[in-house]
Amino acid sequence: MSGALAGGAGGRAQATSRPPSFRSGELRDPSLAAALRTLELTVRRRLDGVLHGDHLGLIPGPGSEPGDAREYQPGDDVRQMDWSVTARTTHPHVRQSVADRELETWMVVDLSASLDFGTTGCEKRDLAVAAAAAITHLTGGGGNRVGAVVATGAATTRIPARGGRIHSQAMLRTIATTPSAGDGVRGDLRVAIESLRRPQRRRGMAVVISDFLGPIDWERSLRAISARHDILAVEVVDPRDLELPDIGDVVLHDPETGRTREFSTTPKLRADYAEAAAAHRDDVERALRRCGSPRLTLRTDGDWISDVVRFVTSRRHTLGASAVNTARAGRR
């Protein structure tokens, strides 16, 4: 279903935010540009000042991330001498450091076929794009860089981490216009997460945006990333992912396998479905907890921007904390 950005609530102008629909968008589509602009304005209006810079941008000093070595120049700090390179080249060299005051964030955006689904105000795909916009706004600015890995199951698109508003807008446009893989193509979240490990990236933050349906074979990869980065899982959920309504006979189609089945929504079937859905979500939650990842849940029938504000406000002093501590330890 397509989504609308605003809807009335109690007769007041204050409305529940719904992300616009991006399912059929194209790069040159004027409606897509308008939808992205509306989304940007919504995010900026509601999220400005939420973090107040409580992340790597507050770390003083020249940085602790190792950079390239160069020949010693008069006036260089002798404490930065790289003795291994000096011995190898017989010329004095110093090791430059990369300033870790800047936060580098990588998003894994799952756009597999299961996200082309929604039964309320928007589709899960629209919510994934909206979540990417929120993360980009919260972690961008101040010299910070944001990149993304967009996975559909059939293809993986890598967007290099860069800073600036132009890059952010181009990245979100690419995410919004990534075509669906179509029927019969399974998403592979593990492969998408694994792509963040090679090449090795500087310490920062990794955000996984997905509905987390399917096998939980990504835990090992996510745990490996958590050893170097702060991680955050953003779960997008539709009410029908959790329970079936009492609507009699219904035809269900799985876009990732191409299978179609006809069912009668009897009380037993609905109870079994809800039980299986709850069990799977519990398994996902336990896997994320073992990886040390908090989970932000966004629902297609909820006010997603308010959920983001509440989550970030409650965790504003812990987001980026481990990366800060690691960077400080590197100076000792």
Side-chain angles (χ1 to χ4, degrees), residues 43 46-55 103 105 130-140 205 207 231-234 294-298 303-321:
V43 169
R46 297 285 295 276
L47 296 185
D48 265 344
V50 173
L51 273 184
H52 297 293
D54 285 344
H55 53 250
L103 177 68
T105 301
I135 295 298
T136 299
H137 177 71
L138 287 171
T139 61
M205 188 173 186
V207 181
I231 54 178
L232 168 65
V234 180
R295 179 175 69 170
L296 165 61
T297 299
L298 304 179
D303 187 347
W304 65 275
I305 197 96
S306 294
D307 293 337
V308 172
V309 171
R310 282 192 295 268
F311 178 85
V312 175
T313 301
S314 66
R315 304 189 66 92
R316 54 183 298 184
H317 299 298
T318 60
L319 288 174

Side-chain angles (χ1 to χ4, degrees), residues 50-225:
V50 173
L51 273 184
H52 297 293
D54 285 344
H55 53 250
L56 295 179
L58 297 181
I59 301 177
S64 61
E65 288 291 312
D68 296 329
R70 61 168 176 82
E71 286 197 28
Y72 173 85
Q73 301 291 332
D76 285 339
D77 190 346
V78 295
R79 292 174 297 179
Q80 302 299 323
M81 293 292 294
D82 192 320
W83 297 110
S84 60
V85 177
T86 298
R88 200 163 55 241
T89 62
T90 69
H91 295 286
H93 278 70
V94 293
R95 175 67 65 176
Q96 295 176 298
S97 60
V98 179
D100 51 13
R101 296 186 300 273
E102 300 168 353
L103 177 68
E104 182 170 292
T105 301
W106 278 89
M107 297 184 294
V108 174
V109 185
D110 176 15
L111 293 182
S112 56
S114 64
L115 278 89
D116 291 330
F117 176 75
T119 59
T120 55
C122 65
E123 291 187 346
K124 292 189 290 183
R125 176 189 177 95
D126 303 329
L127 206 53
V129 177
I135 295 298
T136 299
H137 177 71
L138 287 171
T139 61
N144 298 338
R145 295 184 294 274
V146 184
V149 174
V150 187
T152 65
T156 300
T157 303
R158 291 175 176 82
I159 305 172
R162 297 192 180 112
R165 184 178 177 185
I166 294 177
H167 166 71
S168 297
Q169 291 176 336
M171 180 181 64
L172 292 175
R173 191 178 300 114
T174 299
I175 295 173
T177 57
T178 298
S180 176
D183 284 358
V185 179
R186 278 192 174 278
D188 197 333
L189 187 58
R190 182 191 65 81
V191 171
I193 294 175
E194 191 69 23
S195 66
L196 291 186
R197 298 179 60 187
R198 298 177 183 84
Q200 191 176 60
R201 295 174 171 88
R202 59 174 300 186
R203 293 182 184 91
M205 188 173 186
V207 181
V208 181
I209 303 173
S210 174
D211 58 6
F212 294 99
L213 297 180
I216 306 176
D217 55 359
W218 40 261
E219 180 181 349
R220 182 175 180 181
S221 299
L222 190 60
R223 189 181 300 180
I225 291 176

